[in-house]
Amino acid sequence: MQPTRKYMFDPPKVLVLGFALIIMLGALLLTLPVATNDGQGLPWLDALFTATSATCVTGLVVVDTGTTFTLFGQLVILFLIQIGGLGFMTFATFFAFLVGKRISLKERLLLQEALNNLSMEGIVRLVKRVLVFTVVIEFIGGILLAVRFSLDMPPLKAFYFGMFHSISSFNNAGFDLMGGFRSLTGYVEDPVVTLVVCTLITLGGIGFIVMNELYEYRQTRRFSLHTKIVFVTSGLLVVFGTLCIFLLELHNPKTLSPLSPMGKVLASLFQAVTPRTAGANTLNIPDLTQPTLFLIIFLMFVGASPGSTGGGIKTTTFATLLGAVWSQIKGKEDVIFFKKRIVYDTIYKSLTVTLSGLFIVMVVTMLLTITEQGHDFLMILFEATSAFGTVGLSTGLTPQLSPLGRVIVIVTIFTGRVGLLTLAFALTRRLQQPLLRYPEGRIYVG
């Protein structure tokens, strides 16, 4: 009986199964007549696509969220976003707190895996803080957005829109209620919407471990190596992305050219932040130049940081690989960050995650070129990377996908959100060193 129990309660398997069950339940709810404005419910494949995109906090859609769904349908999507962003184990723990239930060892192990934490020490306290951080940040962001939206719509609707977009932004989901697949393009020059949403995306993308260290900084007066790397890498990617988008789109009459100087900066900043797996946009993605689209593909592939609501290979993975390359170029054996040596195990894990991600994007792109013939290759690569990184940005291909293409993207989204997490979980378990080691062999590379 022991092997069976071990198989059933292996944390990665429980998390994958949990995500799958939530997606199925969400899809079932979205097929109900009460979920859509036409009173017929979504077809099953469209409902499954939408539920997968929401639970995996992606934002790719085959139907317009603002015009297709009733309040019930929108609330189902919002609930799926919140569960997907925080993880269903965090929600289960929250309800356990409410009824006064004690958190068991098995549940603590699941929480450790779900939050991508290195140890179980203080895991329950971390979960409590995650819930508090989430409620406070989403509420403040929602109020700020509601105040701005109240200038364009009735107060009650503005409050609902503010909260919906705050939750969607903090969880890096990319769903919006603006209608017509327009996302936030109507607020491209608005500093309030741009800066609030960018802040929510950034806070959701740096990871709860980093957020917790920020909270404790008043007592500790120090940051861990992980937090330092997240800050530096995230900051450099945003600055690099903003500058490149500004220069590449400056004379594009469909994007930055008609905007004011401040509007150009705000639009460039937003489009550099949102590929961190958020999915919202203030410029029409199909109108961007090809170099900008390729830059965004790179940013989407890197994604957010570990233990966050975002996807991608993660900023720390990217930084570790850059450090390894630089060390090789300089002829150094060790990878050093902030006077700390990165262990080889971390470098191997980073290489595994990156190559796995590249393989997934390549295979999905190849499959979509077969199923979606007639579409531009860069458009297909953009969509495949967006699905893998659970970003949600789209060049307009997703609503036009064939049924088989939609199935491929569904699997890609699920794999991007859960598959790499499972791989990361497996890699965090240190295997026992073998008793037998083979002699070294050398090959020539490069």
Side-chain angles (χ1 to χ4, degrees):
M1 291 296 293
Q2 187 64 25
T4 304
R5 291 178 61 187
K6 181 178 179 182
Y7 175 84
M8 289 179 62
F9 297 117
D10 185 49
K13 296 183 179 68
V14 172
L15 293 176
V16 171
L17 181 61
F19 267 100
L21 290 176
I22 291 169
I23 289 171
M24 291 300 176
L25 176 61
L28 182 63
L29 292 174
L30 293 177
T31 60
L32 299 177
V34 70
T36 57
N37 287 316
D38 61 8
Q40 298 181 4
L42 276 187
W44 172 250
L45 184 57
D46 289 351
L48 181 63
F49 191 105
T50 304
T52 304
S53 183
T55 307
C56 298
V57 289
T58 302
L60 288 174
V61 293
V62 289
V63 294
D64 183 64
T65 308
T67 57
T68 302
F69 296 103
T70 61
L71 178 61
F72 173 81
Q74 292 172 5
L75 290 177
V76 169
I77 291 173
L78 196 63
F79 188 63
L80 293 175
I81 290 172
Q82 192 71 85
I83 293 180
L86 296 182
F88 73 93
M89 274 307 302
T90 305
F91 264 85
T93 306
F94 169 68
F95 288 114
F97 291 153
L98 290 181
V99 299
K101 180 179 179 295
R102 183 177 176 82
I103 309 301
S104 67
L105 177 62
K106 182 184 72 176
E107 290 163 342
R108 290 169 191 262
L109 284 169
L110 286 169
L111 287 171
Q112 178 190 346
E113 302 286 12
L115 294 174
N116 202 15
N117 209 23
L118 296 177
S119 71
M120 282 193 299
E121 183 180 356
I123 193 68
V124 175
R125 182 176 67 252
L126 177 59
V127 170
K128 291 179 180 179
R129 287 183 178 175
V130 165
L131 292 169
V132 173
F133 293 155
T134 301
V135 171
V136 171
I137 292 172
E138 290 179 350
F139 181 76
I140 293 175
I143 292 298
L144 292 174
L145 289 175
V147 171
R148 173 60 187 87
F149 291 153
S150 65
L151 302 177
D152 304 323
M153 58 188 74
L156 189 60
K157 183 179 179 181
F159 178 78
Y160 173 61
F161 269 50
M163 288 300 168
F164 187 99
H165 290 91
S166 178
I167 294 172
S168 179
S169 299
F170 178 72
N171 289 284
N172 284 212
F175 281 82
D176 71 272
L177 301 177
M178 296 303 173
F181 299 101
R182 291 184 296 115
S183 190
L184 299 174
T185 53
Y187 297 90
V188 61
E189 296 191 75
D190 192 293
V192 175
V193 173
T194 296
L195 296 179
V196 169
V197 172
C198 282
T199 301
L200 290 168
I201 292 169
T202 301
L203 290 175
I206 60 176
F208 294 114
I209 298 171
V210 174
M211 220 178 296
N212 188 52
E213 286 196 22
L214 282 172
Y215 176 79
E216 294 181 341
Y217 182 74
R218 289 175 299 175
Q219 287 78 34
T220 61
R221 292 295 173 182
R222 67 179 184 85
F223 289 128
S224 66
L225 177 62
H226 170 83
T227 296
K228 292 177 182 177
I229 293 176
V230 167
F231 281 155
V232 172
T233 308
S234 300
L236 289 176
L237 286 173
V238 170
V239 172
F240 171 76
T242 301
L243 182 61
C244 288
I245 291 172
F246 181 85
L247 295 175
L248 291 171
E249 297 295 323
L250 184 59
H251 301 294
N252 186 345
K254 296 182 179 179
T255 55
L256 293 188
S257 183
L259 304 180
S260 65
M262 179 59 70
K264 289 180 172 66
V265 174
L266 290 174
S268 300
L269 173 65
F270 196 98
Q271 265 56 233
V273 171
T274 194
R276 312 307 305 284
T277 82
N281 56 282
T282 56
L283 294 175
N284 286 318
I285 300 300
D287 293 336
L288 297 173
T289 61
Q290 289 197 348
T292 303
L293 290 175
F294 196 79
L295 170 66
I296 292 177
I297 288 174
F298 161 71
L299 295 174
M300 291 192 299
F301 184 76
V302 175
S305 300
S308 71
T309 58
I313 63 170
K314 303 297 189 292
T315 54
T316 49
T317 303
F318 177 66
T320 301
L321 290 181
L322 281 185
V325 171
W326 181 249
S327 295
Q328 283 293 308
I329 293 174
K330 299 291 288 185
K332 297 180 180 179
E333 184 176 350
D334 296 327
V335 178
I336 307 296
F337 288 120
F338 299 100
K339 298 182 180 181
K340 299 283 187 179
R341 178 174 57 86
I342 305 299
V343 297
Y344 287 116
D345 192 36
T346 301
I347 299 172
Y348 293 144
K349 291 174 185 176
S350 300
L351 183 62
T352 303
V353 170
T354 303
L355 289 180
S356 299
L358 283 172
F359 178 76
I360 292 171
V361 170
M362 288 172 57
V363 170
V364 172
T365 302
M366 183 184 70
L367 292 176
L368 290 179
T369 56
I370 297 173
T371 63
E372 315 304 317
Q373 294 185 17
H375 291 283
D376 183 69
F377 175 78
L378 188 62
M379 178 185 290
I380 293 176
L381 176 61
F382 190 99
E383 224 77 6
T385 309
S386 181
F388 161 76
T390 66
V391 181
L393 292 175
S394 175
T395 55
L397 175 61
T398 298
Q400 305 175 36
L401 288 172
S402 64
L404 182 56
R406 296 185 182 193
V407 172
I408 292 171
V409 173
I410 288 173
V411 174
T412 307
I413 292 172
F414 188 79
T415 303
R417 176 62 177 166
V418 181
L420 285 185
L421 282 177
T422 305
L423 176 62
F425 297 156
L427 289 173
T428 56
R429 292 182 174 80
R430 297 185 63 86
L431 297 176
Q432 184 178 2
Q433 291 295 328
L435 297 178
L436 174 65
R437 298 188 70 185
Y438 291 98
E440 289 185 351
R442 295 187 179 274
I443 60 175
Y444 295 101
V445 296

